[in-house]
Amino acid sequence: GAVVSQHPSWVICKSGTSVKIECRSLDFQATTMFWYRQFPKQSLMLMATSNEGSKATYEQGVEKDKFLINHASLTLSTLTVTSAHPEDSSFYICSAELRLARAPDQPQHFGDGTRLSIL
Amino acid sequence: AQTVTQSQPEMSVQEAETVTLSCTYDTSESDYYLFWYKQPPSRQMILVIRQEAYKQQNATENRFSVNFQKAAKSFSLKISDSQLGDAAMYFCAYRGNAGNNRKLIWGLGTSLAVNP
């Protein structure tokens, strides 16, 4: 099955640091990637949708200058949390999707998530 | 706007028994997809089953099956012969098929405990 690799799985850093999270589709070309944030015992909250080669579309209330998303290739998207603060501590998950006109029912494939802790 | 409702925050089942998790949704679209995802303590999101709205036949994947009632906008998940490894959060999700609207709309989840 389709595999999405997300790295790092866990990061602890000091307040004010910028942190980059990578999301790679290993065996397919992802036309669209999604970034989610999940608080403990809660559902996934979509942060942004990125299509390869274009600017990400951010959900309402998500600061695009705070959460920089780059989707430079069909297999890689990155989320950079700039000047991270303790309130940015959370679990971040990416997903990737291959959109095929002949098979529109392709599901999203998820990375294993990144646990971000800001001290 | 589309919404997904999971009315059972927590459920429990005895090992080897059957449990049904409920999910209802609201949409004005006629063409869409519905999914159940499982999130175990490892927090990995695992696709359990999916249903295309245009298909009347309920989807089945081994011990997992759905009861899709399109008119009632209901999409429940039945887990048969429950196993300890089925303990997890289960999320119901909706996705439209119109244009570029590919994002998933999520329910709040149901935490399933499996008792030995």
Side-chain angles (χ1 to χ4, degrees), chain A residues 60-117:
Chain A
Q60 190 172 9
V62 178
E63 300 176 61
K64 59 182 180 181
D65 294 331
K66 175 76 171 177
F67 300 99
L68 301 178
I69 292 171
N70 183 277
H71 192 167
S73 76
L74 283 171
T75 59
L76 174 64
S77 177
T78 60
L79 166 67
T80 301
V81 184
T82 62
S83 186
H85 288 94
E87 58 267 28
D88 298 323
S89 299
S90 192
F91 189 67
Y92 294 87
I93 311 175
C94 73
S95 71
E97 178 186 81
L98 171 61
R99 188 174 184 183
L100 298 173
R102 64 182 183 276
D105 62 337
Q106 297 301 305
Q108 292 183 21
H109 301 281
F110 287 82
D112 288 344
T114 296
R115 185 173 300 176
L116 176 62
S117 297

Side-chain angles (χ1 to χ4, degrees), chain A residues 38 43 59 99 104-107, chain B residues 39 50 52 95 99 103 107:
Chain A
Q38 187 180 32
S43 188
E59 294 299 302
R99 188 174 184 183
D105 62 337
Q106 297 301 305
Chain B
Q39 188 179 38
R50 63 183 176 184
E52 294 88 344
R95 192 190 74 197
K103 62 183 180 182

Side-chain angles (χ1 to χ4, degrees), chain B residues 40-82:
Chain B
S42 64
R43 304 192 79 170
Q44 181 186 14
M45 294 295 290
I46 302 167
L47 177 64
V48 176
I49 201 164
R50 63 183 176 184
Q51 175 82 41
E52 294 88 344
Y54 63 85
K55 290 187 178 179
Q56 293 185 337
Q57 187 173 6
N58 290 324
T60 299
E61 289 287 343
N62 300 315
R63 297 182 296 107
F64 299 88
S65 62
V66 298
N67 184 3
F68 174 48
Q69 300 291 326
K70 190 172 183 179
K73 294 179 181 161
S74 172
F75 183 61
S76 61
L77 174 70
K78 185 172 79 171
I79 306 174
S80 304
D81 186 25
S82 297

